[in-house]
Amino acid sequence: MYQGPASRLFSALGDVLVPCASSLRQHSPVRRRALPTPGQGPVFGLSCCHSLAGWIGEAPAAAGGGHNCSAAAAASATTGTAARAASRTVCSMGNSTSRLYSALAKTLSSSTTVSQHQELLETSEHDQCDPIDPKELLEECQVALQERPARVQRDFLSLRNDSSSQQPRTFRVMQWNILAQALGEGKDNFIMCPMEALKWEERKYLILEEILMYQPDVLCLQEVDHYFDTFQPILSRLGYQCTFLAKPWSPCLDVEHNNGPDGCALFFLQDRFQLVNSSKIRLSARTLKTNQVAIAETLQCCETGRLLCFAVTHLKARTGWERFRLAQGTDLLHNLESITQGATVPLIICGDFNAEPTEEVYKRFASSSLNLNSAYKLLSEDGESEPPYTTWKIRPTGESCHTLDYIWYSQHALRVNNALGLPTEEQIGPNRLPSFNYPSDHLSLVCDFSFNEDPARLL
């Protein structure tokens, strides 16, 4: 049950909240392009709250099933022109309010279940919203963050071994535990991170900036507790179809003034993929239903017509729960075997597994009949070792530096072309994560994949 008041984002955005629907039938094509460097100074000299209110100032687009990929691709050029024109029209704060605003504002401050929120969002089936230019939104984020220290620079490393001059068509996948706001402020006890660095009014811009810098085609997030008032409305207008699944008993609800339960979220660009099937999974440990969840969606590539399944999950945390995580991971694999028809459909699994590579759940995934490999192993010299860390924080019990986050993929059907490098200890700094220049205690993982050149090759 929601216990907290309406998010402070209402006031930060000038009382303009537009919860776009989980599916956009019309949207702007989002392409990766040259973008400003993180941490650079203000671009427009505008108040960021005023300008960002304009981005979210119109009613949402239609919800429901997928759209015709061919039609979406054919309309790309005209849609893109309209998108750029629309994105330059900045609405004044509070003057363009969605029909859903008053209803959602009330439910966010009352005891309402997540399913009821989803029903509210789905009532906007016939509403429309303007697309957002990702470059301009990134610039607005950087205006808001101009007083923060420069962000860590991370480079993509090429993992292709052939010398072919023909570059394959790739799609980008981003995995990230973004740190639930309620947990960061109320439970996680980051003793070296000032509370000022965790304030949502600015931390949300750091998260959005990271996403906008890398512009993934598929985005998998964990610990999302600002889905309805931030990520869904904004990412919908960037052209993403959005799906969210809350934990049944989220620890966020134990924190005073929380923003609702946290959970997993999966987003994909609709000009790259079309939704074929979506499954929301509550993970089991043998016969026991647990508090952890997963989302699995089968998508069709608009360009090639090939199917691909994406899954996002977040397994049980804490030392001593290794066998529990193994049971949860085994349950997820069984579900994915069914969804992918015994690995007939290639698979990418993103998640915070809360498990080091020495744990049995990691070994279970590595030896699965789904023929999975961990993408970030390819960064090591031998191609067999995971990175030394994907999370690094300091709590009252001491430093916690672990590899817990992974992107698993069907290694015979897919190739990893590039992977985003991880920052060094010096770049992270002595106070570790989160910090004024990084919003989470987990590092984002980003990979560019392509389909295997030989489509007849067995998985």
Side-chain angles (χ1 to χ4, degrees):
M1 302 292 285
Y2 283 104
Q3 299 176 355
S7 167
R8 288 172 292 178
L9 189 61
F10 291 147
S11 57
L13 297 181
D15 288 342
V16 179
L17 173 67
V18 181
C20 292
S22 62
S23 170
L24 281 168
R25 296 188 194 277
Q26 295 178 351
H27 55 83
S28 65
V30 182
R31 302 295 186 194
R32 284 184 285 279
R33 64 198 79 178
L35 295 173
T37 302
Q40 79 174 41
V43 179
F44 298 139
L46 300 175
S47 162
C48 188
C49 288
H50 174 88
S51 218
L52 191 55
W55 299 130
I56 315 181
E58 298 294 333
H67 61 286
N68 184 285
C69 264
S70 300
S76 286
T78 55
T79 307
T81 303
R84 286 187 290 274
S87 68
R88 287 192 291 269
T89 306
V90 179
C91 308
S92 60
M93 291 190 297
N95 290 338
S96 182
T97 306
S98 164
R99 291 178 302 187
L100 293 181
Y101 167 72
S102 57
L104 272 177
K106 290 176 183 176
T107 56
L108 280 172
S109 60
S110 65
S111 45
T112 307
T113 64
V114 173
S115 61
Q116 288 172 312
H117 275 286
Q118 192 62 41
E119 289 169 5
L120 267 174
L121 292 173
E122 292 172 355
T123 62
S124 62
E125 183 172 352
H126 302 294
D127 290 337
Q128 298 293 322
C129 70
D130 290 333
I132 307 174
D133 185 325
K135 181 179 178 180
E136 293 187 19
L137 182 57
L138 176 63
E139 290 169 344
E140 296 301 334
C141 289
Q142 292 171 350
V143 170
L145 297 170
Q146 59 187 300
E147 300 300 323
R148 295 245 175 170
R151 261 64 77 206
V152 171
Q153 297 298 304
R154 300 169 62 184
D155 298 320
F156 279 94
L157 305 176
S158 176
L159 301 176
R160 289 185 63 87
N161 296 321
D162 59 61
S163 56
S164 172
S165 58
Q166 185 177 4
Q167 294 298 315
R169 177 67 162 151
T170 63
F171 55 90
R172 178 165 291 178
V173 178
M174 184 175 189
Q175 147 62 28
W176 199 12
N177 178 332
I178 61 173
L179 175 61
Q181 184 63 25
L183 301 183
E185 287 188 302
K187 273 182 172 283
D188 278 340
N189 233 348
F190 303 117
I191 60 173
M192 299 303 292
C193 178
M195 287 302 293
E196 186 73 18
L198 293 172
K199 286 188 175 180
W200 183 244
E201 287 86 348
E202 290 189 9
R203 196 173 80 87
K204 65 174 179 273
Y205 292 112
L206 278 175
I207 296 172
L208 288 170
E209 179 189 57
E210 181 99 346
I211 295 169
L212 290 162
M213 278 300 301
Y214 302 120
Q215 293 192 50
D217 298 301
V218 178
L219 171 64
C220 295
L221 302 180
Q222 299 87 41
E223 292 199 23
V224 180
D225 64 346
H226 274 274
Y227 176 80
F228 293 102
D229 63 1
T230 301
F231 296 105
Q232 199 270 351
I234 292 176
L235 292 175
S236 289
R237 296 186 62 190
L238 287 168
Y240 289 91
Q241 184 159 323
C242 315
T243 304
F244 174 72
L245 182 57
K247 294 175 183 174
W249 307 294
S250 167
C252 292
L253 299 179
D254 296 332
V255 179
E256 189 178 4
H257 305 306
N258 66 77
N259 197 62
D262 75 302
C264 294
L266 194 154
F267 309 84
F268 66 86
L269 283 177
Q270 296 180 98
D271 66 343
R272 296 301 311 276
F273 296 100
Q274 178 183 5
L275 180 64
V276 175
N277 180 64
S278 181
S279 300
K280 293 182 176 180
I281 304 164
R282 183 174 172 186
L283 297 177
S284 296
R286 298 186 179 177
T287 60
L288 175 68
K289 291 290 186 183
T290 73
N291 194 37
Q292 280 63 50
V293 298
I295 301 169
E297 296 193 330
T298 302
L299 310 180
Q300 184 176 36
C301 177
C302 292
E303 185 177 28
T304 67
R306 297 181 66 175
L307 296 179
L308 185 60
C309 180
F310 291 91
V312 56
T313 194
H314 188 186
L315 301 187
K316 174 66 180 175
R318 310 296 182 204
T319 302
W321 291 85
E322 291 81 5
R323 293 179 64 185
F324 197 80
R325 282 191 287 273
L326 173 60
Q328 288 182 326
T330 301
D331 181 52
L332 177 58
L333 287 171
H334 286 160
N335 276 279
L336 293 174
E337 285 171 5
S338 175
I339 291 169
T340 62
Q341 303 169 31
T344 302
V345 177
L347 176 65
I348 292 177
I349 309 168
C350 296
D352 174 0
F353 280 60
N354 278 307
E356 290 273 15
T358 54
E359 271 199 35
E360 287 301 318
V361 65
Y362 178 96
K363 297 174 184 178
R364 181 67 55 89
F365 271 71
S367 61
S368 161
S369 61
L370 294 172
N371 199 12
L372 301 170
N373 194 15
S374 175
Y376 264 72
K377 283 169 53 177
L378 302 179
L379 289 179
S380 64
E381 291 185 5
D382 61 3
E384 296 297 327
S385 305
E386 292 288 352
Y389 49 80
T390 61
T391 180
W392 200 341
K393 52 222 168 199
I394 303 177
R395 288 181 168 140
T397 53
E399 261 185 87
S400 175
C401 178
H402 300 288
T403 299
L404 306 178
D405 307 271
Y406 306 96
I407 299 178
W408 295 93
Y409 69 101
S410 299
Q411 59 185 328
H412 287 171
L414 302 169
R415 301 187 58 160
V416 184
N417 296 276
N418 306 289
L420 183 64
L422 296 172
T424 64
E425 178 180 356
E426 182 180 9
Q427 287 177 309
I428 290 174
N431 293 336
R432 309 314 184 199
L433 305 172
S435 63
F436 277 108
N437 61 355
Y438 200 79
S440 175
D441 55 325
H442 289 253
L443 296 164
S444 63
L445 307 182
V446 185
C447 290
D448 292 334
F449 289 91
S450 62
F451 287 102
N452 191 293
E453 287 83 351
D454 181 7
R457 188 174 181 179
L458 295 176
L459 295 177

